[in-house]
Amino acid sequence: MTPLLEVQNLSKSYPVGRKGLFGKRMMQVLREVSLSVQPGEVLGLVGESGSGKSTIGKAVLRLIEADSGTVRFDGQDLSTISHADLRRLRKDMQIIFQDPYASLDPRKTIRAVLSEALDTHKLHMGTARADRLTELMTMVGLSPAFLDRRPHEFSGGQRQRIGIARALAVEPKFIVCDEAVSALDVSIQAQVLNLLADLRAMTGISLLFISHDLSVVRYISDRVMVLYLGKVMEVGPADQIHFAPRHPYTAALISAEPSLKHESNRIRLTGEIPSPLTPPSGCVFRSRCPYALPACAETVPPLRDMGEGRLKACIRDDIL
Ligand SMILES: Nc1ncnc2c1ncn2[C@@H]1O[C@H](COP(=O)(O)OP(=O)(O)OP(=O)(O)O)[C@@H](O)[C@H]1O
Ligand code: SF4
Ligand SMILES: [Mg+2]
């Protein structure tokens, strides 16, 4: 099957500090990241804070420019298409943020917010508009009677439902959900996750689901990709990643889950994540890896195909 989204060797760095004698110092936050999302698939992206998850989400939507690499969406190379084509494609690629409040204008009613999204792409104009707004509210489990309310009149979970309705309004093929449930209470989190799962089943939409919480990612994803310091550590089917991780970093993330915290064989992560300005040589995870060997410092482990849709970037096959 042709992937809906195909990203190859995406790298991104940001300038840091003041300009010195030799120009600005650069901090590399993505290191040759490749990924693909099939039509109707949910790919989960997990990693600690600062690992580069949001940078991937933004680069995929071309909200920021990558240094190198390619992004193909629906068969088109986003780096070479015209501005007009990119504008058209934007309808098919939406994003939902962690804090919908920050992206909802407090002065606008929900009717205005959703209408604006439809107007941008000239969808459901005229008499069809009212039916579409009712349909969108129903889809996300909100009463259409709330259409004339403003964002502050809703709870956090309800506001996130509005964010989802706004993303769905233009019938996209793909949504980046960037920490979309992270700010919600656990019970509300489960409701919003269930809603996203139902909408996926109903519409066949694809998601890139970003979270620092592996248990949340696993719940909704078909496949999971694990990121550390801007580098892909492991990729595989969600359940296999959870029950049989092959990379020490994934195993450490799973060991840190609250339900497993008291098990004796868990892998403990020691030390802080290194700064992206001074990453370890060779394997970027080596300064915190309990299995590191001298050889791990020498070369960057390639992302190897382990069969059955699993990939890992670790030189050792004797540990997990
Ligand atoms: N505009 C920017 N300018 C400079 N550095 C940036 C910029 N945006 C992100 N960074 C840095 O890039 C790195 C990756 O950031 P990113 O936001 O992608 O991480 P993340 O995995 O989404 O983290 P979080 O879980 O905290 O949201 C971080 O070190 C961050 O400080
Ligand atoms: S390559 Fe070495 S340091 Fe990196 S995860 Fe594997 S064992 Fe650990
Ligand atoms: Mg982020």
Side-chain angles (χ1 to χ4, degrees):
M1 205 189 307
T2 313
L4 178 65
L5 174 74
E6 193 165 24
V7 173
Q8 272 172 344
N9 299 326
L10 202 63
S11 292
K12 173 73 185 170
S13 40
Y14 287 111
V16 282
R18 282 212 304 246
K19 203 168 175 175
L21 205 53
F22 304 103
K24 278 216 161 171
R25 202 169 167 203
M26 300 301 282
M27 175 173 82
Q28 190 164 12
V29 298
L30 292 183
R31 300 160 204 277
E32 301 193 325
V33 170
S34 298
L35 60 89
S36 65
V37 182
Q38 301 294 332
E41 186 183 39
V42 180
L43 176 69
L45 182 54
V46 71
E48 287 164 285
S49 181
S51 56
K53 304 178 298 295
S54 297
T55 305
I56 294 181
K58 287 185 217 154
V60 157
L61 299 179
R62 269 201 76 189
L63 299 175
I64 56 168
E65 296 298 325
D67 303 341
S68 56
T70 56
V71 177
R72 292 183 72 82
F73 182 79
D74 217 5
Q76 298 194 64
D77 184 341
L78 296 197
S79 56
T80 57
I81 63 171
S82 67
H83 281 295
D85 284 343
L86 183 61
R87 239 192 335 270
R88 266 192 295 279
L89 268 188
R90 283 253 152 85
K91 175 187 109 45
D92 290 329
M93 310 174 84
Q94 297 291 310
I95 185 161
I96 303 170
F97 296 102
Q98 171 167 355
D99 180 7
Y101 204 50
S103 60
L104 290 171
D105 185 336
R107 293 161 305 179
K108 286 190 180 146
T109 62
I110 304 316
R111 183 186 302 283
V113 167
L114 298 179
S115 290
E116 205 170 71
L118 295 169
D119 287 342
T120 306
H121 297 284
K122 300 195 169 44
L123 294 168
H124 303 272
M125 304 303 275
T127 51
R129 176 62 55 90
D131 284 348
R132 179 61 176 158
L133 295 181
T134 301
E135 183 184 42
L136 283 168
M137 293 295 272
T138 312
M139 275 170 92
V140 298
L142 290 175
S143 165
F146 293 172
L147 273 168
D148 291 308
R149 292 192 181 179
R150 290 182 167 76
H152 72 271
E153 295 174 79
F154 294 93
S155 68
Q158 287 174 325
R159 276 201 291 269
Q160 197 52 290
R161 287 171 190 268
I162 295 163
I164 296 170
R166 180 174 55 181
L168 286 175
V170 295
E171 294 166 38
K173 293 179 180 167
F174 172 70
I175 303 181
V176 173
C177 303
D178 191 355
E179 304 278 4
V181 300
S182 305
L184 305 174
D185 290 345
V186 172
S187 63
I188 310 291
Q189 219 177 49
Q191 288 172 16
V192 175
L193 277 176
N194 282 331
L195 170 67
L196 282 169
D198 289 348
L199 290 169
R200 189 272 280 253
M202 202 161 85
T203 62
I205 203 164
S206 305
L207 305 179
L208 178 62
F209 190 91
I210 297 174
S211 173
H212 61 278
D213 185 338
L214 183 57
S215 57
V216 167
V217 164
R218 178 189 153 226
Y219 179 78
I220 191 159
S221 306
D222 300 304
R223 284 187 305 128
V224 170
M225 181 162 165
V226 182
L227 199 68
Y228 183 82
L229 225 58
K231 188 96 191 139
V232 178
M233 298 283 109
E234 184 165 10
V235 187
D239 280 346
Q240 287 189 35
I241 289 280
H242 187 259
F243 290 114
R246 304 286 297 274
H247 192 287
Y249 179 57
T250 317
L253 282 184
I254 292 163
S255 296
E257 286 183 4
S259 59
L260 298 174
K261 270 197 170 157
H262 300 295
E263 292 198 8
S264 57
N265 60 348
R266 72 188 186 99
I267 297 178
R268 282 162 224 271
L269 275 187
T270 52
E272 293 291 309
I273 309 178
S275 160
L277 273 172
T278 50
S281 63
C283 174
V284 285
F285 183 54
R286 104 182 136 79
S287 58
R288 296 168 85 197
C289 180
Y291 303 109
L293 300 172
C296 302
E298 276 154 31
T299 45
V300 178
L303 196 58
R304 290 184 293 137
D305 189 341
M306 311 299 290
E308 298 177 336
R310 303 197 63 171
L311 303 163
K312 78 164 181 179
C314 171
I315 58 169
R316 293 189 67 172
D317 288 328
D318 57 326
I319 45 176
L320 290 162

